[in-house]
Amino acid sequence: MVTLRALTPDDWPLWRDLRLAALTDAPHAFKAGLADWHDGGAQRWRARLHLPGAHRVAAFLADTPVGLVGGMPGTGGPGVRELRSLWVGPRARGRGVADRLIEEVERWARADGGTELRLAVLPGNAPAIALYRRHGFAPLDEPPGADGPGELRFAKRLSSPA
């Protein structure tokens, strides 16, 4: 069974371990590389979990951490929120973990007043693009690289919370 837990700054060791595992497992899927995260200590990792308005979540299977995702305030207007850094470990893929993480960020975004959820994905990451499309994300009508070199941007309109 998949369980999710929102992370606090005190959870920085867990977030660090999951983030480094993601960058090691799938370096092609993230703008930041493993080398970008080796300097700095607890203070740097803790600061990433203390960003105002952010929602970081870890996923667990049988009490073993297997994935992470972040929800962030967006820069495209007051109702825009962003989904960032989604990753699921190889042992947990195909078990609905990514679906649960996306659904959790959508829930958070709606509860936070979000009306649109955006994300960026690197070209060539076909599994991620298929996952996001399956969840209702559609490409934004903007040139590639508008939010970073070579990134493809997707968005999804959010309904009001029930």
Side-chain angles (χ1 to χ4, degrees):
M1 179 166 110
V2 178
T3 57
L4 304 179
R5 187 174 95 209
L7 302 178
T8 70
D10 290 337
D11 291 315
W12 71 265
L14 171 61
W15 189 82
R16 176 201 58 209
D17 292 350
L18 284 167
R19 184 70 175 144
L20 293 177
L23 295 171
T24 299
D25 172 61
H28 60 280
F30 301 101
K31 259 189 341 185
L34 192 58
D36 298 324
W37 284 98
H38 278 295
D39 56 344
Q43 186 176 8
R44 181 177 183 203
W45 290 103
R46 185 183 296 273
R48 294 294 288 190
L49 291 173
H50 194 49
L51 294 172
H55 181 60
R56 305 268 188 196
V57 178
F60 298 82
L61 279 176
D63 297 326
T64 300
V66 296
L68 77 160
V69 72
M72 307 289 291
T75 58
V80 175
R81 304 296 179 269
E82 294 186 10
L83 185 149
R84 292 201 187 160
S85 303
L86 175 66
W87 175 78
V88 175
R91 295 177 327 151
R93 291 179 188 149
R95 300 173 102 182
V97 177
D99 297 324
R100 291 283 311 279
L101 289 167
I102 291 170
E103 291 162 2
E104 171 58 19
V105 171
E106 288 180 15
R107 183 209 58 76
W108 161 83
R110 282 191 301 278
D112 192 51
T115 56
E116 182 177 71
L117 187 58
R118 294 185 181 185
L119 59 88
V121 63
L122 294 174
N125 191 345
I129 292 169
L131 172 70
Y132 297 136
R133 285 183 182 272
R134 192 173 80 238
H135 278 269
F137 288 88
L140 284 172
D141 188 22
E142 60 185 32
D147 192 42
E151 290 186 321
L152 304 174
R153 301 279 296 160
F154 288 77
K156 177 180 181 175
R157 298 293 300 162
L158 299 173
S159 59
S160 299

